[in-house]
């Protein structure tokens, strides 16, 4: 049981979506505050955070067709900064027969305090920004898309 909440920022380019979600006082960090302060969870729950980065890899020319081909790669936003841009296969989406779809190998980090949660989220936000900058540089001014999915999960302890 429980509640699931999704915040989606969608719209035209340069309308403030990234700032609204990922800035210092954006939705990601405010959500962490709401979870810890607003719910008053104490020792009754376990809280975990994760961040999935979806980046479109720089285009490569297909040897078969001669056309430019791009592909999306999934990265773990909780890795130490610098490792996030290493494309050695990326993460894979799998389907479990009873639990449904999941991202294989995605870090889910248990946090005990708002401060610890914010520290991990800030690391992931920095990794998102670094990946965005790297993708923009790789295309000589035509930025490739980078999307981030942040998850704060609250589970009751038994």
């Amino acid at each position: 049981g429980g509640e699931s909440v999704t915040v989606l920022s969608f719209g035209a380019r340069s309308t403030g979506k990234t700032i609204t979600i990922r800035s210092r006082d954006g939705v990601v960090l405010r959500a962490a505050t709401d979870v810890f302060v607003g719910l008053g969870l104490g020792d009754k729950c376990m809280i975990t955070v994760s961040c999935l980065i979806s980046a479109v890899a720089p285009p490569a020319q297909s040897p078969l067709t001669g056309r430019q081909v791009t592909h999306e790669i999934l990265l773990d936003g909780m890795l130490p900064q610098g490792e996030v841009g290493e494309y050695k296969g990326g993460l894979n989406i799998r389907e479990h027969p009873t639990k449904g779809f999941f991202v294989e190998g995605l870090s889910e980090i248990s946090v005990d305090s708002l401060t610890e949660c914010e520290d991990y989220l800030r690391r992931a936000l920095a990794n998102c920004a670094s990946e965005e900058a790297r993708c923009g540089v790789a295309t000589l001014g035509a930025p490739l898309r980078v999307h981030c999915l942040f998850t704060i999960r609250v589970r009751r302890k038994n």
Side-chain angles (χ1 to χ4, degrees):
E3 298 288 329
S4 293
V5 177
T6 300
V7 177
L8 176 68
S9 180
F10 182 81
R13 281 189 168 185
S14 301
T15 57
K17 299 176 298 295
T18 299
I19 290 171
T20 300
I21 299 293
R22 298 184 346 211
S23 67
R24 283 182 303 185
D25 59 347
V27 172
V28 169
L29 292 174
R30 286 184 183 192
T33 301
D34 287 350
V35 166
F36 278 90
V37 177
L39 297 177
L41 300 171
D43 291 334
K44 300 177 290 190
C45 296
M46 178 177 81
I47 301 169
T48 60
V49 294
S50 64
C51 174
L52 178 65
I53 299 175
S54 161
V56 177
Q61 190 165 357
S62 167
L64 297 174
T65 65
R67 293 184 179 192
Q68 292 282 326
V69 178
T70 60
H71 69 280
E72 183 177 31
I73 198 147
L74 301 176
L75 305 167
D76 191 335
M78 291 295 174
L79 291 176
Q81 197 161 357
E83 291 180 32
V84 74
E86 295 180 10
Y87 294 132
K88 295 182 181 168
L91 301 174
N92 296 302
I93 297 174
R94 303 282 188 226
E95 184 177 10
H96 187 274
T98 58
K99 297 179 182 177
F101 291 98
F102 68 98
V103 179
E104 185 177 49
L106 183 65
S107 300
E108 190 173 4
I109 300 170
S110 181
V111 293
D112 295 320
S113 68
L114 175 58
T115 302
E116 186 180 21
C117 184
E118 288 175 335
D119 287 346
Y120 278 108
L121 290 174
R122 282 191 184 95
R123 176 193 299 173
L125 288 164
N127 284 340
C128 290
S130 294
E131 189 60 23
E132 222 162 39
R134 191 195 66 75
C135 282
V137 168
T139 59
L140 302 173
L144 296 174
R145 307 308 299 155
V146 174
H147 299 98
C148 301
L149 174 66
F150 292 88
T151 304
I152 301 172
R153 183 171 289 166
V154 180
R155 296 182 186 100
R156 289 204 185 279
K157 289 184 179 175
N158 295 333

